[in-house]
Amino acid sequence: MLNRLTHAPARIAQSDKDRLRVMLLAKHAASTGAPDQVDGNHAIYHHELRTTLEAIGLDVTPAQDFSSVEGEVRADFVFTLLNRAGFQNSEMLAPLLLARRGVPFLGASPIIRGLADDKHLSKVVAARHGVPTARWISCRLGQPVVEPGFRAERLVVKPNASSASWGVKIVDDWASAREHVERLHALGHDVVVEEYHPILDVAVPVIGGDGPEPWLLPPMAHTPETPGELRSYEEKRALVPTLAGSDPLSVVEDRDVVERLNDYSRRLCAELWPFDYGRFEFRFDPKSGAISFMEVNLSCNLWSRKSISRSAASIGMDHATLVESIVAHSMRRQGVISAALMERAA
């Protein structure tokens, strides 16, 4: 409840809703809400987001590829989620094209998007700010693959800029790690190899509210039946049958843990803010109390079933209010709407 004392969601004034044209740029922005054979539940998510923006009262035009923002952009504001477009660093293209045209967009500046989506660089930032981080090495394309100078019982090998656990593998020795590094290199990816920290994944959602500063929502822990178990990309996208229904998420209740997570997240915000919404992700060991930073996800999944929306729901904020507050914050900081005219949510 501490978050609610200093922050509040915001609404866009009706006069602004009446005049603004918003483009939703996402691969399945015009979908019917049915699962996609390749992207699974992402199609459901994009459909829900479009209908939520419409229910808020915004004039929304769906767009599904970069051609919509390569020339003249017929919108006052672009809600861009075209983050996985089939080539490296594609999450930066729409922000760059829109910045070139001078069209405001949701998310963060292109250079901050690039920094946050680079797992190695985000770890460098975390370490610089004194945030505990698992030991790691970066294996860039074109560099020799060199064994890490640290020893760990298990290693995590992952593409340096992947999402939803695509390409992630946990191995027990360096030979296996190197083999997977070379496999990912062959597919055109830079790679991060880090020591494996078991137990719980914990995310701190950060959004924009009615003020200019970051709003840290309650941290959410992923609590599967088998702690430390890796969920595959196919499971996260519901492309394969699973025993679980929605993600097993719960609010972190331990006050000391929450304070430390928030402290680390504020240190990272000092480097990355302003952005409109995202998650800082950590590993947490309830037995030892150890916390280790993993990565940053800006402009990440805003589906009502995922961590940001469920965290907001834990303090009484429904999904539509959450989405409107994020959009209102973004519009205000970029001058699309006036701070003086922005209506504060009840």
Side-chain angles (χ1 to χ4, degrees), residues 273-341:
W273 192 260
F275 55 85
D276 296 320
Y277 77 100
R279 300 188 312 259
F280 293 115
E281 300 194 10
F282 303 86
R283 290 285 256 177
F284 170 60
D285 183 345
K287 291 184 178 179
S288 68
I291 296 173
S292 176
F293 170 75
M294 285 200 303
E295 60 189 59
V296 183
N297 283 293
L298 301 185
S299 295
C300 51
N301 200 315
L302 202 53
W303 193 14
S304 61
R305 302 184 189 182
K306 296 297 183 178
S307 58
I308 294 181
S309 187
R310 289 169 66 177
S311 173
S314 76
I315 56 171
M317 185 172 16
D318 64 38
H319 185 246
T321 302
L322 169 71
V323 172
E324 183 169 359
S325 184
I326 290 170
V327 173
H329 164 85
S330 185
M331 288 181 169
R332 181 190 57 194
R333 74 176 177 83
Q334 296 176 84
V336 179
I337 61 177
S338 168
L341 296 177

Side-chain angles (χ1 to χ4, degrees), residues 75-89:
D76 302 298
F77 181 84
V78 178
F79 196 130
T80 173
L81 288 178
L82 200 52
N83 300 334
R84 291 181 57 116
F87 59 91
Q88 287 295 302
N89 306 125

Side-chain angles (χ1 to χ4, degrees), residues 35-36 39-41 231 233-242:
D36 180 75
D39 299 312
N41 55 26
R231 294 177 67 221
Y233 173 83
E234 290 74 17
E235 288 175 320
K236 289 186 175 182
R237 292 288 182 261
L239 293 169
V240 295
T242 61

Side-chain angles (χ1 to χ4, degrees), residues 50-73:
R50 188 187 81 238
T51 56
T52 299
L53 290 168
E54 291 169 343
I56 288 167
L58 293 167
D59 178 5
V60 181
T61 299
Q64 301 192 141
D65 57 64
F66 292 115
S67 65
S68 302
V69 293
E70 286 174 343
E72 181 184 358
V73 180

Side-chain angles (χ1 to χ4, degrees), residues 109 114 191:
S109 68
V191 181

Side-chain angles (χ1 to χ4, degrees), residues 4-13 210-211 339 341-346:
R4 300 196 74 180
L5 296 175
T6 55
H7 298 80
R11 292 197 177 107
I12 304 164
D210 69 334
L341 296 177
M342 189 174 69
E343 296 177 357
R344 185 168 175 162

